Amino acid sequence: MSRFIVRRILALVPTLWLTVTLVFFFVRLAPGGPFDGERAVPREVLLALEAKYHLGDPLYRQYLDFLADLVLRGDLGPCFKYPGRTVNELLRVSLPVSLQLGVMAMTFALAVGVPLGVIGALRQNTWADTLATSVAMIGVSVPRFVLAPLLVMVFGLQLYWLPVARWESWRHAILPVICAGLPTAAYIARLTRGGMLELVRADFVRTARAKGLGEGAIVVRHLLRGGLLPVVSYLGPGFSGLLVGSLVVETIFNIPGMGRYFVEAATNRDYNIVMGVTIVYGTLLMTLNALVDIAYAWLDPRVSLEEL
Amino acid sequence: MSAATSGESEPIEDAGGSTFAADAWRRLRKNRAAVASLAVLGALLLGCILVPALGSYGYADTDLALGPTPPSWAHWMGTDLFGRDLMVRVFFGGRVSFAVGVVSTAVSFVIGVTWGSVAGFFGRRIDAVMMRIVDALYTFPFLIFVILLSVFFANQGGLLHRAFVRVLGLFTARAHDPSYFPVFQIVFVFAALGAASWLTMARIVRGQVIALRAQPFVEAARSIGATEASILVRHVLPNALGPIIVYATLTVPEVMLTEAFLSFLGLGTQEPLASWGLLAASGAETMDVYPWVLVFPALMLAVTLFCFNHLGDGLRDALDPRIRKD
Amino acid sequence: MKRSSLVRGGGGGAQESRLWSLWSWALALVLLAACRAESEPGYFGTVGRRGGAPNTFYVNNYDEPEHLDPALVSESAGSTLLLELFEPLVGEHPADLHAIQGTAERYDKSDDNRSYRFYLRQNARWSDGRAVVAEDFAWAWRRVLVPETGARQVTMMFALKNGALFHRGELAVLNAEFGGLVKGTPLRSYERTPENLRRAPALVPAEATHKLVGVHRAMPTFTGVAPPASSLTAAGAAASVAGAAASVAPSPEPLFFVPAALLERSDAVLGVRATSEHVLEVELEQPTPYFLELLGYPVFYPVRRDVVERHAGSGEAERWTRPEHIVVNGPFTLARHDFRYEMRLEKNPFYWEKDAIAIERIVVFEVPSAQATLALYKTGELDYLGSNGALPTGSMDRLLGYRDFGRAPWTGTYWYEFNTERPPLDDVRVRQALNLALDKRELIDSVARAGQAPATHFVPELTGSGYAAQVRADKAAGVDPFATRLLGFDAARARALLGEAGFTVRERDGTWMAEGFPPLEVLYNTSEGHRAVAVAVQALWKKHLGVSVTLRNEEWKVMIKNMRDGHFQVARFGWVADYDHPHNFLDTFLSYSQNNMTRWRDEAFDEVMARAAAEPDSKRSIALYRQAEERAVHAMPRMPIYFYTKSWLIKPYVKGFYPNAMNKHPIHWMWLDESWRANPENRPAHVPHELPPPGSYAP
């Protein structure tokens, strides 16, 4: 197990390096610079700004400096749009918020999705199945940017039940978590239902039932464990999808998370933020995938880590 | 697409003598929800083809003096902020959304199934190498890349757009016409979304194949001398089809939604073209004042995704070989 | 296991109908919800405060300010906040923006409008208790001009005598006696162009270490440094400067060489200095008629040298604006700053007039979304939307009737720029035809939708500094050069003009066709609003002129780059006033302006502008500006579309808020009136201190 984890961490390095390198040159090749704006920046000021951020240096030099700062000091450099803020500071402030939202939304998605899926599979074609499927359908069929304003309109502006924006108390989290988590919950419900339906008819389940094992025990011991496999596969991309999807939710509810930087930093040509976001996101994804593999092995006795 | 219909493998015979595909089709037909979904999808598709072609308005025809009007006899779905007929735009947008959803899913299906099944079935070193590649690509933050690419290079006159214009120039002299730009944007979205979504497909297929590989029936097939390739194609893949179909049907709406997401960010389909995502995104802006501008495209999108899901369900049941074994 | 398909087949229909009943339940819930509204009739939002602390003002700033350093602020997200944090030398009356006391209690002014002397109040304090002194202003202004500071709005400081030269590093003093010139003589360095070298009479030294300089004659009178002595001819061989003695003689002055090591960058001849703790003297390059207006712009705010310099060496100079470090002289201090989320401003305990400020604390949201802002306002979490953002266009019609909604004209102009080097736009008749063919009224009514005024020219008609008065006078006399009948929508004349330019416009099947006219490409930056206007322009040009237009949208940075490089035909742009004077708009037409991307160059225009800026009589100056504008309008390098308006929502219990042309709404003038229902009158939180008329000043 530990060898596997070490191997995974080692695999992270070249991939990250590749990503960093690609993105580094990508952003600098793009037209427009970080200081282009409505009012032309006087030449002398522009030169001073470029000197300050070493943007006048040859590209390879900037690249090596960036790598050195990153590797030796974990320093992602300054942010151009907000001078005096470092990218590290930006991420330190925004990443926990995004993670918080992401974890809450994922918890919500699992808490809603798995039971819905289980009910759907066990009570196939009953009223309960229809209800469960419908909830899942709504989640899958309505984009977050339609769902969010709808929820705001009803629960915030008409009923005055819940706050309409910002990130303060637990009450502020309700609508964003639902918006962010519902599509994921719907996926999970469908995957759970699908995965369990596969097993409901499997031989070993019939054997178990024939042996007189109770329904509850069958569900927990056999069906859930195996039926959740597709869900586990989905957790990695699902969580990262949540983080990216939270871009919409963060925008609409004005949550000070990392999502806003995905597009904004690129359009602002804020090179270092683009790098920072990419690195954080990449690391997160890779780690999650490794975790998913481990969980997969734990859940499915047919798979050993040796094979992964 | 499925193993059963691919040319090189013999159709699996069942007790009744009918082929696997025909049997599946027979079962699908009995599933009314799935058939209804198929019918609705067909009707929608037909509408998307016919309405913009036969309608008396063009999808880009503006009538500023008219402005946004609620549904009426002249405009069944009303008009948008520029006085454009919403019905024509919605069905025109449907063409784009359908195309994006289906084409991108097909791309991801072909790549993902091939990749995942080969890796999962042959295991060991092949698996390690192939899945490391998938891992690497996974870590590659694809959506960020799509965003970065569209911001930096898929803009008008950007690197990718210039390349597109050059290729287009081989076919038409009007390649530089900026009205081709939205077409480029859609092609870009196809490619980007297709490339981004095959990874999960590969992982799911591999997971299934690994799980099935250890099953007794594979051992049995091997013991009677079946080749590895035929075991994979004939025995393993058909048994893995359920989750694959479920995932593929989920991919279509997912891709449609991702396109909508990109449109919400202003990076997907561009005006004056339309997609359901773009229409819903701009409709959401004014939903409190002109609700119909949101309602119709959002409803179309929802119904389509709804039907795709039902169809997926039906297909899963119909294609599941284990039901047949009973 | 049972075969389930039959069962399912039977259940399909029922399943569907159950689903529909679920949907209709959801719909019913939404409708039910829609019936419940908590707001008072006539008002868009609730009128009761929800959980807001007393005397705390809740406002949205939309964006995170890029800077809070007055020298660096260049966008409204920052300048709006600085209005509360810093007190300028001269303030503005909240109602009509006329100059009132700021840190200065009174001032003197020379007859030629080139010299000012400001008298600072004795009791002005920084937020750490230290007195505000004249040097705090002088140092801040010099700092803005140093390129390393990175001030993007540095050009405003060029109003100061020698400001531009100082900024470009062309001003120096001798740090030792040289060639008969005394130590401290101000010199101006020149580039070694052939023309300049011709002006250097004698040898050109081989050493690259020598700099080509001239004796700087245009120094302010208060520097105290004597004009150069006449003994220059006695200079050594390295610096042959014959004739420099005649430095009072006609220009161009002779140039000579000085070893670079002897030159020291200097602000000695810069037009600002503190002559005592409470007296600030200013000398201007030109009789800038809008100088008092300029003083309201952040680059002219004072900063504390010791506070700034403490962080200058740390590598993160900007840290001095963090709440734990910042020292300000305004009514509020920065108490808390949650980056990109919220700021808290607390009343400055040392502010000289703190007892007159009614609001104790300002909570500043940074909610970028217009929809969310509306929602927060509606539910009572905001008292005022904030001056820094825009209401969603789509919601305008709905908001119009509410009593907490307001709208005022705003000094900004929305225009389209033509690339005047690209055919067919290089023909002025084509540009004029395009302008005449655009029905701006229809465009505003159908897409802009915020009650904007159609524009026939570039400077908003309510611009201050005497411009608005001139507009009124011209209109009354019937000599308005920008009258609608001359420049307004006239499709027939537009078609005739286009015909003259060689593109005959004919009618075919009820639609117009401009023969041979190549399709135009309109470039705009990605945004709903700009797209709407572009679509409208496309439709209207097609309708009235038969010109076909393609649209191209680019992201802002890319568009700016392409415009600067000339890769465009027609592009969306606009301008919002930084200070209340026509110069602000018209200098973007100057042939050498970095903001002129149209490639239109007109020497006569430049010349009239120079005369206008140099004219001490403000009325004649405005007339000259109008003359310059007329030239620009007739050449039509840009097509004016509309003059901006500003719309807002503010709770009825907020008093001391006044609509004004510059969209400046300082919260320190506002107060919360508990008894607003009974008491409809509006007044600022305290009485503004009027400036006494300027004393006379003869430097």
Side-chain angles (χ1 to χ4, degrees):
Chain A
M1 183 66 106
S2 56
R3 246 189 70 208
F4 169 72
I5 293 171
V6 169
R7 214 170 61 197
R8 264 303 162 85
I9 289 169
L10 286 180
L12 188 85
V13 176
T15 333
L16 267 184
W17 170 76
L18 191 72
T19 315
V20 165
T21 307
L22 266 177
V23 175
F24 185 92
F25 290 101
F26 260 31
V27 291
R28 280 165 178 79
L29 274 174
F35 306 115
D36 286 337
E38 184 164 9
R39 272 101 168 117
V41 183
R43 201 173 58 94
E44 279 76 15
V45 173
L46 189 64
L47 288 176
L49 283 171
E50 287 187 345
K52 180 177 171 188
Y53 295 114
H54 305 287
L55 290 173
D57 290 358
L59 214 52
Y60 77 92
R61 178 92 237 154
Q62 290 183 44
Y63 173 66
L64 292 180
D65 286 347
F66 179 85
L67 275 192
D69 282 348
L70 178 64
V71 174
L72 300 179
R73 294 189 282 129
D75 179 5
L76 289 158
C79 153
F80 301 139
K81 185 170 161 77
Y82 303 104
R85 307 272 165 185
T86 60
V87 176
N88 293 42
E89 184 185 352
L90 247 64
L91 294 176
R92 198 163 55 237
V93 173
S94 61
L95 180 63
V97 176
S98 281
L99 283 181
Q100 206 183 348
L101 176 63
V103 169
M104 281 161 82
M106 189 45 105
T107 313
F108 169 82
L110 285 170
V112 171
V114 172
L116 282 183
V118 170
I119 292 168
L122 292 182
R123 304 274 175 272
Q124 206 183 353
N125 306 321
T126 65
W127 184 87
D129 184 20
T130 312
L131 184 71
T133 316
S134 304
V135 173
M137 287 301 179
I138 295 170
V140 168
S141 313
V142 183
R144 289 183 174 102
F145 61 79
V146 174
L147 185 66
L150 267 174
L151 289 180
V152 166
M153 197 161 92
V154 175
F155 295 101
L157 297 178
Q158 298 298 338
L159 297 173
Y160 288 83
W161 284 351
L162 291 169
V164 290
R166 293 164 45 83
W167 193 245
E168 301 272 294
S169 62
W170 61 271
R171 294 181 64 240
H172 286 81
I174 296 176
L175 291 182
V177 164
I178 293 176
C179 285
L182 200 59
T184 314
Y187 274 57
I188 289 176
R190 295 191 58 78
L191 287 173
T192 309
R193 186 173 178 273
M196 285 194 43
L197 281 179
E198 293 289 306
L199 293 178
V200 165
R201 310 182 188 102
D203 296 333
F204 69 93
V205 175
R206 268 184 289 177
T207 317
R209 199 170 277 131
K211 279 199 292 191
L213 214 59
E215 257 329 280
I218 290 176
V219 169
V220 173
R221 244 190 256 170
H222 295 285
L223 294 180
L224 214 49
R225 211 170 141 154
L228 282 186
L229 282 180
V231 177
V232 172
S233 284
Y234 174 72
L235 280 186
F239 195 80
S240 64
L242 258 183
L243 284 186
V244 178
S246 68
L247 167 59
V248 173
V249 177
E250 286 179 13
T251 308
I252 292 174
F253 291 97
N254 187 49
I255 296 165
M258 203 177 73
R260 59 173 64 158
Y261 297 114
F262 282 112
V263 179
E264 184 195 283
T267 49
N268 285 335
R269 302 288 183 273
D270 214 325
Y271 302 146
N272 292 336
I273 305 187
V274 177
M275 300 303 300
V277 170
T278 313
I279 290 169
V280 166
Y281 183 70
T283 315
L284 215 61
L285 256 177
M286 188 98 180
T287 318
L288 279 170
N289 281 329
L291 287 177
V292 162
D293 281 351
I294 295 166
Y296 208 93
W298 176 74
L299 279 170
D300 191 344
R302 290 170 294 183
V303 181
S304 76
L305 283 177
E306 275 313 296
E307 293 180 78
L308 287 168
Chain B
M1 201 75 61
S2 76
T5 53
S6 72
E8 50 183 316
S9 74
E10 291 287 305
I12 304 172
E13 301 282 323
D14 83 348
S18 67
T19 65
F20 175 72
D23 194 32
W25 173 238
R26 184 172 50 79
R27 262 196 309 275
L28 185 67
R29 262 189 330 206
K30 286 189 184 160
N31 182 341
R32 276 200 216 159
V35 173
S37 298
L38 200 61
V40 171
L41 285 177
L44 277 177
L45 203 59
L46 204 66
C48 291
I49 295 166
L50 293 181
V51 171
L54 302 178
S56 41
Y57 307 96
Y59 72 90
D61 290 354
T62 57
D63 186 347
L64 295 177
L66 184 66
T69 54
S72 62
W73 282 113
H75 303 278
W76 290 6
M77 291 187 184
T79 54
D80 71 2
L81 283 174
F82 304 108
R84 293 180 291 202
D85 181 72
L86 199 60
M87 185 154 144
V88 167
R89 285 189 69 70
V90 162
F91 280 106
F92 184 86
R95 290 184 183 179
V96 174
S97 286
F98 265 117
V100 169
V102 172
V103 173
S104 300
T105 303
V107 170
S108 84
F109 188 96
V110 172
I111 308 178
V113 169
T114 315
W115 197 277
S117 57
V118 168
F121 189 72
F122 295 102
R124 304 283 160 196
R125 194 159 298 164
I126 295 176
D127 182 34
V129 171
M130 289 180 85
M131 289 326 277
R132 269 318 79 80
I133 292 172
V134 169
D135 285 343
L137 289 175
Y138 243 123
T139 327
F140 229 55
F142 251 104
L143 253 173
I144 289 197
F145 260 80
V146 172
I147 289 170
L148 290 185
L149 278 176
S150 21
V151 172
F152 291 145
F153 301 112
N155 46 34
Q156 195 128 22
L159 207 66
L160 292 173
H161 181 230
R162 287 206 304 273
F164 174 78
V165 168
R166 194 158 301 167
V167 173
L168 197 65
L170 302 174
F171 304 101
T172 164
R174 285 178 65 233
H176 287 276
D177 189 334
S179 53
Y180 279 121
F181 178 65
V183 179
F184 156 72
Q185 207 111 14
I186 289 172
V187 171
F188 172 77
V189 170
F190 278 159
L193 298 186
S197 52
W198 70 267
L199 296 171
T200 309
M201 177 66 89
R203 284 191 140 223
I204 286 181
V205 172
R206 171 177 170 275
Q208 285 293 319
V209 169
I210 287 181
L212 288 165
R213 193 177 62 181
Q215 295 273 327
F217 69 85
V218 173
E219 240 358 270
R222 200 169 277 132
S223 68
I224 58 166
T227 65
E228 292 296 298
S230 76
I231 291 174
L232 173 60
V233 173
R234 272 200 221 168
H235 301 281
V236 176
L237 270 186
N239 283 293
L241 260 185
I244 296 176
I245 295 288
V246 172
Y247 185 72
T249 28
L250 287 175
T251 304
V252 177
E254 189 189 9
V255 169
M256 284 176 147
L257 278 174
T258 313
E259 191 277 329
F261 169 75
L262 288 177
S263 293
F264 172 79
L265 300 179
L267 304 172
T269 310
Q270 298 287 322
E271 291 274 343
L273 293 189
S275 70
W276 285 337
L278 180 68
L279 291 170
S282 48
E285 294 275 306
T286 52
M287 63 183 274
D288 47 350
V289 201
Y290 315 117
W292 61 91
V293 184
L294 169 70
V295 164
F296 290 108
L299 204 66
M300 291 296 222
L301 186 61
V303 167
T304 306
L305 305 186
F306 188 94
C307 290
F308 264 112
N309 284 312
H310 264 299
L311 187 63
D313 260 5
L315 276 174
R316 186 183 53 73
D317 293 339
L319 289 174
D320 192 335
R322 267 162 295 182
I323 300 175
R324 226 159 24 92
K325 280 189 221 137
D326 287 304
Chain C
M1 186 106 203
K2 270 192 304 187
R3 287 184 70 125
S4 51
S5 48
L6 270 174
V7 180
R8 189 176 309 114
Q15 198 173 1
E16 219 82 323
S17 69
R18 268 189 233 112
L19 223 50
W20 272 114
S21 73
L22 268 170
W23 275 101
S24 41
W25 265 107
L27 202 69
L29 188 75
V30 172
L31 289 176
L32 195 74
C35 297
R36 261 200 68 185
E38 226 175 71
S39 58
E40 183 160 313
Y43 292 97
F44 173 70
T46 56
V47 292
R49 302 195 78 198
R50 290 162 65 87
N55 284 328
T56 301
F57 194 83
Y58 293 85
V59 65
N60 188 22
N61 198 50
Y62 291 87
D63 289 317
E64 167 75 28
E66 290 180 18
H67 308 270
L68 285 175
D69 182 336
L72 305 183
V73 163
S74 64
E75 21 89 83
S76 61
S79 58
T80 311
L81 288 164
L82 292 195
L83 276 180
E84 318 296 342
L85 294 172
F86 288 87
E87 182 180 69
L89 209 47
V90 171
E92 288 164 316
H93 192 283
D96 60 4
L97 304 176
H98 75 263
I100 56 167
Q101 292 184 25
T103 303
E105 285 176 313
R106 59 194 176 88
Y107 71 106
D108 300 336
K109 185 167 71 100
S110 69
D111 290 338
D112 64 354
N113 285 340
R114 283 179 195 249
S115 304
Y116 287 80
R117 181 188 279 149
F118 294 95
Y119 300 89
L120 274 56
R121 64 180 70 254
Q122 306 282 331
N123 58 348
R125 292 285 176 278
W126 289 95
S127 54
D128 63 352
R130 217 206 69 184
V132 180
V133 295
E135 179 59 23
D136 292 331
F137 283 92
W139 187 78
W141 295 7
R142 287 195 290 265
R143 174 172 175 257
V144 167
L145 284 168
V146 176
E148 284 70 31
T149 306
R152 294 181 199 197
Q153 297 286 42
V154 64
T155 48
M156 289 196 179
M157 205 52 88
F158 292 175
L160 295 188
K161 182 90 191 169
N162 296 330
L165 292 179
F166 176 70
H167 172 69
R168 291 198 294 266
E170 292 172 18
L171 280 186
V173 291
L174 278 175
N175 61 11
E177 196 186 309
F178 178 75
L181 292 173
V182 298
K183 182 179 171 185
T185 304
L187 298 170
R188 179 181 171 185
S189 58
Y190 288 86
E191 277 184 57
R192 294 189 185 207
T193 60
E195 191 199 334
N196 283 338
L197 286 172
R198 256 198 306 283
R199 285 163 64 194
L203 319 170
V204 178
E207 294 97 314
T209 55
H210 281 61
K211 281 216 155 151
L212 185 62
V213 296
V215 173
H216 190 61
R217 291 176 297 119
M219 65 180 116
T221 38
F222 60 63
T223 52
V225 177
S230 57
S231 56
L232 278 173
T233 41
S240 172
V241 289
S247 60
V248 281
S251 68
E253 76 262 46
L255 307 179
F256 53 96
F257 285 90
V258 164
L262 293 186
L263 292 173
E264 205 168 76
R265 188 170 187 166
S266 166
D267 52 28
V269 290
L270 189 61
V272 60
R273 68 165 178 175
T275 47
S276 79
E277 281 224 323
H278 293 100
V279 178
L280 184 76
E281 289 188 352
V282 178
E283 191 170 322
L284 304 177
E285 191 74 47
Q286 290 187 319
T288 317
Y290 48 92
F291 183 61
L292 288 189
E293 277 80 33
L294 272 186
L295 288 176
Y297 203 80
V299 285
F300 289 92
Y301 294 172
V303 294
R304 272 281 287 278
R305 181 177 187 167
D306 55 331
V307 177
V308 172
E309 286 186 342
R310 197 176 306 145
H311 296 274
S314 72
E316 282 181 46
E318 296 85 355
R319 273 186 179 270
W320 78 268
T321 59
R322 299 286 174 98
E324 60 272 29
H325 303 305
I326 193 168
V327 176
V328 296
N329 74 328
F332 290 91
T333 60
L334 181 62
R336 220 177 108 188
H337 187 174
D338 296 329
F339 182 65
R340 302 206 62 180
Y341 186 66
E342 183 182 296
M343 283 194 231
R344 270 163 201 267
L345 275 50
E346 301 275 352
K347 196 197 271 186
N348 178 355
F350 287 100
Y351 184 60
W352 63 274
E353 211 182 7
K354 65 171 191 301
D355 297 334
I357 308 290
I359 305 285
E360 292 290 329
R361 179 185 301 108
I362 308 173
V363 177
V364 183
F365 292 179
E366 296 178 3
V367 177
S369 142
Q371 295 290 352
T373 309
L374 267 187
L376 286 167
Y377 174 84
K378 191 165 192 279
T379 55
E381 283 171 72
L382 285 172
D383 294 318
Y384 165 48
L385 289 192
S387 316
N388 186 36
L391 282 167
T393 321
S395 305
M396 285 292 186
D397 293 351
R398 185 175 59 128
L399 295 174
L400 265 178
Y402 290 112
R403 293 169 69 184
D404 45 352
F405 174 81
R407 176 179 285 167
W410 181 22
T411 43
T413 311
Y414 193 95
W415 63 53
Y416 269 25
E417 310 221 339
F418 296 122
N419 184 344
T420 59
E421 282 176 352
R422 284 266 201 104
L425 297 169
D426 55 346
D427 189 330
V428 64
R429 289 167 300 189
V430 171
R431 302 198 294 265
Q432 286 168 341
L434 290 171
N435 177 54
L436 290 173
L438 187 69
D439 187 345
K440 294 160 191 172
R441 172 55 63 195
E442 184 174 352
L443 182 144
I444 291 165
D445 290 346
S446 59
V447 295
R449 294 166 161 262
Q452 294 95 335
T456 52
H457 57 122
F458 304 109
V459 182
E461 303 208 332
L462 75 168
T463 303
S465 313
Y467 187 87
Q470 187 67 43
V471 171
R472 276 194 302 275
D474 282 357
K475 281 193 170 153
V479 293
D480 181 10
F482 311 122
T484 312
R485 77 192 142 74
L486 301 173
L487 294 158
F489 172 60
D490 186 341
R493 204 143 62 84
R495 289 190 285 266
L497 264 172
L498 207 58
E500 275 176 44
F503 306 101
T504 316
V505 185
R506 279 187 227 287
E507 196 175 353
R508 200 180 297 153
D509 311 330
T511 58
W512 295 102
M513 281 290 294
E515 283 173 6
F517 198 85
L520 284 180
E521 186 185 83
V522 168
L523 175 63
Y524 63 94
N525 57 307
T526 313
S527 129
E528 278 294 297
H530 300 323
R531 183 171 66 78
V533 174
V535 170
V537 169
Q538 179 186 37
L540 291 170
W541 278 347
K542 179 94 203 159
K543 181 170 161 196
H544 298 297
L545 218 48
V547 166
S548 70
V549 173
T550 55
L551 303 183
R552 168 173 144 201
N553 73 315
E554 285 178 351
E555 164 225 330
W556 178 236
K557 299 258 174 193
V558 180
M559 179 178 111
I560 290 284
K561 172 103 174 79
N562 279 334
M563 286 181 72
R564 298 230 154 96
D565 296 348
H567 300 315
F568 76 105
Q569 281 188 297
V570 185
R572 165 270 137 187
F573 220 73
W575 205 260
V576 172
D578 297 313
Y579 50 91
D580 203 6
H581 191 278
H583 185 84
N584 197 203
F585 289 86
L586 295 175
D587 81 343
T588 61
F589 287 85
L590 290 169
S591 60
Y592 49 86
S593 167
Q594 281 183 294
N595 290 313
N596 179 0
M597 297 175 279
T598 64
R599 274 121 187 100
W600 176 68
R601 286 179 180 78
D602 185 42
E603 277 175 28
F605 175 86
D606 293 359
E607 194 263 331
V608 179
M609 284 290 286
R611 268 168 49 213
E615 173 61 58
D617 180 87
S618 69
K619 215 167 157 173
R620 275 206 298 271
S621 171
I622 290 293
L624 285 168
Y625 277 115
R626 292 270 281 177
Q627 204 179 316
E629 188 182 7
E630 211 179 325
R631 266 201 89 80
V633 166
H634 286 297
M636 196 61 58
R638 294 171 178 149
M639 175 181 69
I641 297 181
Y642 59 72
F643 297 126
Y644 279 94
T645 56
K646 187 76 192 178
S647 306
W648 64 83
L649 285 162
I650 191 162
K651 297 288 182 189
Y653 51 75
V654 178
K655 297 288 180 72
F657 175 94
Y658 294 89
N660 62 48
M662 289 290 285
N663 183 37
K664 273 192 181 176
H665 306 291
I667 292 160
H668 58 260
W669 291 110
M670 300 184 196
W671 55 291
L672 305 174
D673 188 358
E674 300 278 320
S675 56
W676 60 274
R677 286 173 205 269
N679 176 26
E681 56 111 36
N682 188 18
R683 60 172 177 80
H686 56 101
V687 183
H689 302 279
E690 296 293 341
L691 266 176
S696 113
Y697 174 39

